[in-house]
Amino acid sequence: MVILQQGDYVWLDLQTGRQFDVPVGAVVKLCDSRQIQVLDDEGQEHWVSPQNASSNLKPMHPTSLQGVQDMIRLGDLNEAGILRNLLIRYIDRVIYTYTGSILVAVNPYQVLPIYTAEQIRLYTNRKIGELPPHIFAIADNCYFNMQRSNKDQCCIISGESGAGKTESTKLILQFLAAISGQHSWIEQQVLEATPILEAFGNAKTIRNDNSSRFGKYIDIHFNKRGAIEGAKIEQYLLEKSRVCRQASDERNYHIFYCMLKGMPAEQKAKLGLGQASDFCYLTMGQCTECDGRNDLSDYSSIQSAMKVLMFSDTENWEISKLLAAILHMGNLCFQARTYENLDACVVVRSPDLSTAASLLEVEPKDVMLCLSTRTLITRGESVCTPLSMAQGLDVRDAFVKGIYGRLFVWIVDKINAAIYRPPSCHSGALRRSIGLLDIFGFEDFTVNSFEQLCINFANESLQQFFVRHVFKLEQEEYNLEDISWKHIEFSDNQEALDMIAIKPLNIISLIDEESKFPKGTDATMLYKLNSQHKQNSFYIPPKNSYETQFGIQHFAGVVSYETKGFLEKNRDSLHTDIIQLVHSSKNKFIKQIFQADVAMFLCGYHQPSPAPKGAETRKRSPTLSSQFKRSLDLLMRTLSVCQPFFVRCIKPNEHKRPMLFNRELCVRQLRYSGMMETIRIRRAGYPIRYSFAEFVERYRVLMPGVKPAHMQEDLWGDFADRSSWTDLANTETGKSGRLRSSPSLRRLLVLQDHHDLKLEMERDKASQDKVIPDPKKRAVSARDSA
């Protein structure tokens, strides 16, 4: 029976049965024998009969009343406690909370005054937990752990689109540049890479005004003095389709709108440019303005950053020419025709056609021919076939996506050429790095295509890395140390990952295989996927033979993928006619960014004729999935040799509004991020583990006559002669020679912070206790008092 009185805080469980519904915090306003009135955290009143009180109301632990900085300390260790802790801190404009060493960051959707130079000084060289949670604390620990351990570090910043990943990455970069102590030109160049990458790789979406439409890993290199000496950026899976189409209330990439707002009038006239509303590629989402951005001032920042990163005026102009050509290509008009009972099309002559051809430095008739026909080469003979209007539009869009995608890669390479410094050949040179991973969050839209499969595959891999680091390694360490502990269950997504990309005949390999068959179609691909994986519990086949979707049970939930267009997107290839058009161009810049494609074309073009039976006319380019998988494998190997830190970004609402906290949305993100299991294992386990040398170094001041660890031939030294410490050391040291953080050791660490460790030790020595009595019970009381 629950005994309540006015003013008590309780958990109210409305038991709605909805998937993401959890008990809500509430305060008792009225309590008598007939009814109980409570007011919940969202300001709603509820009436509960005394008969139902035991099932609907549960007492709230004191730690949940005002919230805690580290959620490991929550007494209510459940979803409701975690959610309320984030909520009450968010209402107080406190957006950062720890879960051990993991930082949870809730997007405030407003500028907070917590990122000043004074804050940077405050958090420099401080241990996690000494000060309130902050993104600067994570950056600081990355930096000083690298300095102390001479080991590479990485920070994995994850979350949904709109959760604040990109802003968190920028803040860590700013902190590292500030504390590295050099304030050099290279540091400025590393910082100035951000506005350029955002301009060409970010866009306004329904969920986010500055959504990264690509993934990036920024590897920052430090010399032995701790100063930044260079960096390198890897980019992953740019969303090229956004150049040609956007959903309602979304925009194309920022750079287009910035260019049209900020470019001088005379330059715009040379490029045939006007306003954003003049171009089809910029108006598909019926949104050319973004309230959260200033395109005019952003253009100035982009130009300034390009100067810092050594982009020449000529290169800037060539980039602008290609961007303008893309916009004019999007305005081309096609008309349907019929030739000899075949569907065909023509490109209508227009100013946009002439301008696009002029900017690409090719003949307008060659552009028309390239977009309306296709040349097939069979046994050395070329056959020209007409394209339907739909096919012509597809070729036009493929050409445009090819230009933008290769331009983006060239820009990243140009930035790397400015900021990367090869390692020194000097034998005494030491270089360490901190890697920042800002990658697309898990995606589940109304219609999910090939891009979403790749993105969610990346998130599966990162989730497995998180699971392995936080759960598996913790448990392996306890087993190694022979610690008696209760196994903690957790969600392991390895089976899903095996099905997608690891085991033979996985989904990615089957898609790749079908992409290489000339007669392969999306339907034959789906048939093979169903045949191979329909018995797998993580695979959801179509309900009938007419459906073109399949589903995957991801760690974050079931996602259905529409297979239409899968193979074409995976092939990611351009027709020979387009490559030949580029090859005929007098524009050296477009030839440069298509250099690899032109080389493949020429290799095929100069094959002996007739070609050997079965030989291809030109070398096949790697598929998009194989490129992405290779990049992802390299990324995971890089992360595996670093000491990782995790920042879990939470999106509090879908409307980008400050101080609005959607409970169901946040619960869903907490569940699939693995935060519940993280909190449980970190609190139930042993989060502090010192080597014996570290233990001696830290606590030798408490035992007179004990030398520093590095001065002792035998690490036990005089330390082992103290009987009260000998048994403690024997108790705490496991088979690997590392000190376990058992309850008695944790008690020592807690008491040290309360200035009564000496008194406690004297009491133990007087009573001749070899081991601190009742270690579990007293460790809990000491921890609670802390």
Side-chain angles (χ1 to χ4, degrees), residues 203 423 633:
D633 288 343

Side-chain angles (χ1 to χ4, degrees), residues 102-275:
I102 299 168
L103 184 71
V104 181
V106 185
N107 193 339
Y109 291 117
Q110 60 180 308
V111 179
L112 298 177
I114 57 174
Y115 307 111
T116 62
E118 178 58 34
Q119 289 285 315
I120 290 176
R121 285 193 293 272
L122 188 64
Y123 277 89
T124 299
N125 205 6
R126 306 293 285 269
K127 293 181 180 177
I128 286 181
E130 285 188 40
L131 293 172
H134 201 290
I135 190 74
F136 287 166
I138 298 296
D140 178 76
N141 274 261
C142 271
Y143 181 77
F144 284 99
N145 275 6
M146 176 193 70
Q147 291 283 80
R148 285 189 291 264
S149 66
N150 281 331
K151 183 176 181 181
D152 293 341
Q153 312 285 305
C154 66
C155 187
I156 300 169
I157 304 165
S158 59
E160 290 192 357
S161 178
K165 301 187 298 296
T166 299
E167 290 302 313
S168 295
T169 303
K170 288 195 287 188
L171 289 167
I172 292 176
L173 269 175
Q174 291 168 11
F175 185 90
L176 293 175
I179 68 167
S180 65
Q182 188 168 320
H183 306 296
S184 64
W185 180 244
I186 186 64
E187 289 175 354
Q188 186 64 28
Q189 287 182 311
V190 171
L191 292 176
E192 292 292 349
T194 299
I196 301 174
L197 292 173
E198 285 190 6
F200 287 87
N202 289 23
K204 177 192 180 298
T205 65
I206 297 173
R207 300 177 176 179
N208 187 358
D209 287 344
N210 188 33
S211 177
S212 297
R213 308 316 302 160
F214 71 107
K216 64 177 177 287
Y217 185 72
I218 307 174
D219 203 27
I220 309 161
H221 306 140
F222 299 83
N223 61 25
K224 61 182 180 181
R225 299 190 309 276
I228 293 177
E229 68 172 15
K232 189 175 183 181
I233 298 169
E234 295 287 344
Q235 59 85 26
Y236 305 95
L237 204 68
L238 177 73
E239 184 191 31
K240 291 181 286 190
S241 59
R242 178 164 294 271
V243 180
C244 304
R245 62 186 64 86
Q246 308 92 43
S248 179
D249 201 33
E250 294 192 350
R251 298 206 311 176
N252 209 318
Y253 287 104
H254 294 321
I255 186 60
F256 291 109
Y257 306 92
C258 294
M259 181 174 69
L260 294 177
K261 282 282 189 181
M263 181 177 279
E266 60 274 16
Q267 290 187 9
K268 287 173 66 175
K270 290 180 181 178
L271 300 175
L273 297 177
Q275 299 177 347

